[in-house]
Amino acid sequence: MTPPSCGGPTGRFPPPRRLPPPPVPPPPRPSRSPPRRRTPAHADQPDPQETDLSTRAVIARPTSTGYAGMYVHFDGYPDSKLPLLLSAHQNRFAGDLEAMARHLIDEVHIGWEQLGTDLLDGAPDALRRTLTGGEEFPSRQLTNVYNTDGTPAERELITQDGTDGLEWAYVLHESGIEVIGLLAYDRGPVVAWDTDPRCRIRTDPGAWNPEAPAPVVPPRAAPRLSATAPASAPTPRKSARR
């Protein structure tokens, strides 16, 4: 008697099935690198990684043809820069516009990485707390800045003709700060130097129409507290009982 075959028609065991290799886990996603230091807009194109991390601006003096000034890399929105500049003029520089312009423009090598709370030096403590929420951070200039060809960047003022890639311009006039929303206009309204730094300030470039008042709203006045107690009402005299 022929023994039963073990397997297929040939009597062989079928070859073992080859299991697919286990899936290889995807490599970990690299963490977002911090923004690289780069040249101002006139010396290099914006780094795509930095586009959503910075709001680029220029702080400038007026000239016969427009303005000229220094690059500011981070947080160029007017609700950040106007309170610092207004308070700096009113307190730290005591109304000396030329001294303020020297500090912000002339004494800067390449540009500002950020403007900090040192511009609030000399301001009343209550105002400083209101503007900063108790957070302190220093101004920092840009360092280690290179052109696209690898050469170190040289000092160069930004003018009204070189604002590609910038979003805001702050021009220091005798009467106040001209705020230009560069994405919408090439001029802007002037915010007077005596404006309260605590004002509510619009950040939409389209709101800064040069033909309209600056979109700043004064803070609500706090009710004055009297140092003396209010006079008490006279006690009504009781009528005599009959």
Side-chain angles (χ1 to χ4, degrees):
M1 181 176 177
T2 305
S5 62
C6 299
T10 61
R12 300 175 182 173
F13 284 99
R17 289 182 300 170
R18 179 174 297 177
L19 297 177
V24 178
R29 297 179 63 183
S31 59
R32 188 181 183 90
S33 58
R36 293 174 292 172
R37 300 192 189 279
R38 66 174 189 86
T39 56
H42 60 271
D44 196 0
Q45 295 299 318
D47 187 329
Q49 282 192 325
E50 293 184 344
T51 302
D52 57 355
L53 296 177
S54 58
T55 304
R56 296 171 287 276
V58 57
I59 293 182
R61 280 192 183 94
T63 66
S64 59
T65 57
Y67 54 84
M70 295 306 294
Y71 173 77
V72 181
H73 187 60
F74 282 113
D75 203 8
Y77 286 110
D79 63 341
S80 168
K81 292 294 163 279
L82 267 182
L84 289 176
L85 296 174
L86 290 171
S87 179
H89 184 270
Q90 296 169 11
N91 298 289
R92 174 171 173 171
F93 297 100
D96 189 339
L97 179 59
E98 186 55 32
M100 181 174 172
R102 285 197 304 270
H103 174 75
L104 293 172
I105 302 170
D106 299 341
E107 298 172 1
V108 183
H109 180 51
I110 295 295
W112 292 101
E113 185 170 2
Q114 71 174 11
L115 296 180
T117 53
D118 50 286
L119 289 177
L120 301 177
D121 290 352
D125 290 342
L127 174 61
R128 192 179 188 112
R129 286 194 302 271
T130 299
L131 295 182
T132 67
E135 181 182 358
E136 298 287 333
F137 51 93
S139 298
R140 293 198 305 265
Q141 294 192 33
L142 287 167
T143 57
N144 300 324
V145 183
Y146 297 88
N147 296 309
T148 53
D149 61 3
T151 58
E154 297 181 356
R155 189 178 194 277
E156 184 178 351
L157 293 177
I158 297 176
T159 71
Q160 70 282 349
D161 298 322
T163 58
D164 291 345
L166 304 186
E167 298 176 50
W168 295 92
Y170 300 92
V171 186
L172 310 180
H173 295 272
E174 289 289 342
S175 58
I177 309 172
E178 180 183 6
V179 181
I180 307 174
L182 293 169
L183 300 181
Y185 302 103
D186 56 9
R187 296 185 301 111
V190 174
V191 179
W193 286 120
D194 61 356
T195 300
D196 193 322
R198 299 169 300 170
C199 283
R200 288 182 291 144
I201 300 168
R202 295 278 301 276
T203 59
D204 175 14
W208 292 85
N209 186 333
E211 306 300 329
V216 297
V217 179
R220 295 179 179 178
R224 292 186 177 181
L225 301 178
S226 174
T228 58
S232 57
T235 304
R237 297 175 62 184
K238 293 181 180 180
S239 57
R241 296 177 62 183
R242 293 184 179 180

